[in-house]
Amino acid sequence: MLLSNSPTRGFGYSVVSDHVALGLQRAGHQVYFLGMQSIHAPYKDGNGIINLGIRYDPFGGDILGDYLRIYQIDVYISIMDIWLQQAQYMGPLTKQMNIPWVAHITANSYPLSPFLATPCTYATLLVAPSKFVERTLKEFFPHNVFRIPHGVDTNVFKPLPKKENEKMREQLRISDKEFVVLSVMRNKGYQKNFPALLHAWKILLERYEELWKKGVLLLLTDPTEPEGMRLDMLRERTGLNDVVRFIWLRPSDGTIEPTFEGDPRGMPHTANLNFPPEVMARLYNVADVHAIASSGESFNLPSLESLACGVPIIMPDNTTGPELAGESKAGLLARIGLEYTTPLISDVFHVDPHSLAECLEKFYLSKELRKRCSRRGVEFAKRYDWKRIIPMWVDLVEVAKYVQS
């Protein structure tokens, strides 16, 4: 059985859990998928996966025990933030029912917070999506941590023909732009550090005045998400209204597609709606570079998807930045300017906006650097193709059964 975000959300953990569920099903396992916030009766999808609905608790706390018992689950997998207070029930429940629990762990700070370490003690096996998380977990749990990175479908996320890119640029009303920076990030809390990204962008614009007309920073995020910042107000305050644009959504033939901000047939992006993978690939392809200013990541799937599309990346030199931007040699790392301890008793790392601006400047000035990084990124992403990642999950399920027995 697998518990994650609703499979309809189309990003982050939902993308990972969808592929894991399908991979396990194809390997001969009967998979029961319990999606958080999914209110519906049980149904079997076209792949034979039984999708279960929640009761009243969005995290399944009032119905998971019944599902585990009724369907006689022999391995329970969670792909979510298990440190959340609403998820604290899972450890004692699986222990009481003597069911092996495989917990996918998201950690974006160091050292491991005690608030995350405590629920981890109940898990049979811990899955680290990156080398950073693996090192962080193994300081507390040296024997039951397995690294399984996020995957990418390289048949979908790949460099696209020039004509397709031109069509998307027209759709976004950026055909006149010569330097396009894209950032795909969730506007939740302060983790993604949008102020540093906008500050870095402004530093670059002040160095190269032509970018006020020739450049644009595209943000795929919800600018008014209740748990995040008012990014529309931040943009106005920094004087970047004309050079920072939010990507909007527009219904099209039963699905949604990207459109320009202010489209009379469109609407602002929301955290619960996202584009299909094929559309996301088209979106990445219009960018010259993908940049984030996050204070920490457990992996960062958009950066990997960008690399697969041949788009260079910029990441802070912390957590998973050295793995994706550093090891791939298809990106640049921005220096850390500040480190401090949070109330979770774990340290986060804030990027230096001036260093981030220098990375943007290097890509702006050198088309050859962009081409070189593009080729390297496509080759690097092949290591993470889902065809290589899914067998790791299949093997881990068998390990969980063995360890529990």
Side-chain angles (χ1 to χ4, degrees):
M1 181 179 202
L2 191 149
L3 170 66
S4 179
N5 285 339
S6 169
T8 61
R9 299 187 76 179
F11 62 89
Y13 309 147
S14 296
V15 173
V16 176
S17 56
D18 285 352
H19 282 278
V20 172
L22 182 57
L24 292 174
Q25 185 79 7
R26 288 176 174 173
H29 295 280
Q30 175 61 65
V31 177
Y32 299 86
F33 195 116
L34 176 57
M36 293 183 294
Q37 306 176 43
S38 298
I39 304 175
H40 54 72
Y43 69 91
K44 183 181 290 187
D45 66 20
N47 296 306
I49 298 173
I50 296 177
N51 287 259
L52 304 171
I54 61 169
R55 192 181 183 195
Y56 302 114
D57 179 0
F59 287 79
D62 56 358
I63 200 169
L64 179 60
D66 287 333
Y67 284 147
L68 294 174
R69 174 180 54 84
I70 293 169
Y71 292 106
Q72 299 180 331
I73 302 302
D74 54 2
V75 176
Y76 169 60
I77 301 173
S78 63
I79 301 181
M80 58 175 293
D81 293 325
I82 69 168
W83 53 267
L84 292 170
Q85 186 63 38
Q86 300 95 319
Q88 297 297 297
Y89 73 91
M90 289 189 295
L93 175 63
T94 52
K95 184 176 182 179
Q96 178 185 355
M97 300 184 70
N98 196 33
I99 296 174
W101 175 25
V102 177
H104 179 278
I105 304 300
T106 56
N108 51 41
S109 59
Y110 177 87
L112 188 67
S113 167
F115 297 94
L116 177 55
T118 298
C120 285
T121 60
Y122 287 97
T124 308
L125 301 176
L126 301 171
V127 177
S130 63
K131 294 178 182 178
F132 163 74
V133 177
E134 181 182 30
R135 291 192 301 268
T136 302
L137 288 174
K138 282 191 171 181
E139 290 187 4
F140 285 76
F141 309 97
H143 304 300
N144 63 336
V145 177
F146 294 78
R147 180 167 62 90
I148 304 181
H150 293 349
V152 62
D153 186 347
T154 56
N155 290 321
V156 174
F157 293 94
K158 59 185 179 182
L160 297 176
K162 184 178 180 180
K163 286 186 177 180
E164 289 194 43
N165 294 341
E166 290 176 348
K167 183 178 179 181
M168 177 59 74
R169 290 171 68 90
E170 291 175 3
Q171 199 167 310
L172 297 173
R173 300 284 178 89
I174 59 169
S175 296
D176 60 331
K177 305 302 178 182
E178 297 180 8
F179 188 59
V180 178
V181 180
L182 173 66
S183 189
V184 179
M185 295 194 291
R186 175 86 182 270
N187 179 22
K188 186 175 182 181
Y190 195 72
Q191 176 194 352
K192 302 303 182 180
N193 201 0
F194 283 98
L197 179 62
L198 266 63
H199 187 190
W201 181 236
K202 188 170 185 177
I203 292 172
L204 184 68
L205 293 170
E206 290 173 345
R207 291 177 185 172
Y208 301 93
E209 293 187 2
E210 70 272 15
L211 280 176
W212 288 97
K213 293 184 177 180
K214 296 181 179 180
V216 65
L217 171 60
L218 297 177
L219 300 180
L220 179 59
T221 193
D222 183 346
T224 60
E225 184 168 352
E227 297 181 65
M229 302 181 64
R230 282 298 301 268
L231 297 180
D232 53 342
M233 297 173 66
L234 176 64
R235 178 180 62 176
E236 183 175 3
R237 177 182 174 183
T238 50
L240 298 173
N241 280 346
D242 295 331
V243 286
V244 173
R245 300 182 187 177
F246 297 105
I247 297 172
W248 276 26
L249 315 174
R250 182 170 63 190
S252 176
D253 296 328
T255 183
I256 53 174
E257 62 181 10
T259 189
F260 60 94
E261 183 179 2
D263 184 346
R265 292 183 54 242
M267 58 183 174
H269 182 273
T270 75
N272 289 317
L273 289 176
N274 214 324
F275 306 116
E278 293 78 9
V279 177
M280 284 300 300
R282 292 170 51 209
L283 192 57
Y284 287 122
N285 268 269
V286 303
D288 293 296
V289 62
H290 181 271
I292 67 169
S294 172
S295 61
E297 295 288 333
S298 63
F299 187 83
N300 197 250
L301 189 57
S303 290
L304 176 62
E305 292 173 341
S306 295
L307 292 175
C309 291
V311 178
I313 62 174
I314 299 173
M315 298 181 70
D317 191 8
N318 64 8
T319 58
T320 59
E323 296 176 47
L324 294 177
E327 292 182 15
S328 69
K329 297 183 180 180
L332 297 175
L333 293 168
R335 294 187 303 273
I336 299 303
L338 175 65
E339 176 180 348
Y340 70 89
T341 303
T342 71
L344 297 177
I345 319 301
S346 188
D347 296 345
V348 296
F349 316 88
H350 278 229
V351 69
D352 179 353
H354 293 274
S355 178
L356 185 57
E358 290 171 2
C359 293
L360 289 167
E361 181 180 33
K362 290 178 181 178
F363 279 125
Y364 171 58
L365 295 177
S366 177
K367 290 185 178 180
E368 179 56 37
L369 176 62
R370 299 204 300 263
K371 290 180 180 179
R372 187 165 63 247
C373 288
S374 176
R375 293 191 297 267
R376 291 172 178 171
V378 172
E379 289 302 312
F380 179 80
K382 292 177 181 178
R383 305 181 195 176
Y384 295 84
D385 191 283
W386 278 114
K387 294 177 182 178
R388 296 188 175 190
I389 303 301
I390 291 301
M392 300 180 188
W393 280 99
V394 175
D395 291 343
L396 194 65
V397 168
E398 298 303 321
V399 173
K401 293 179 182 179
Y402 175 79
V403 171
Q404 190 74 3
S405 63

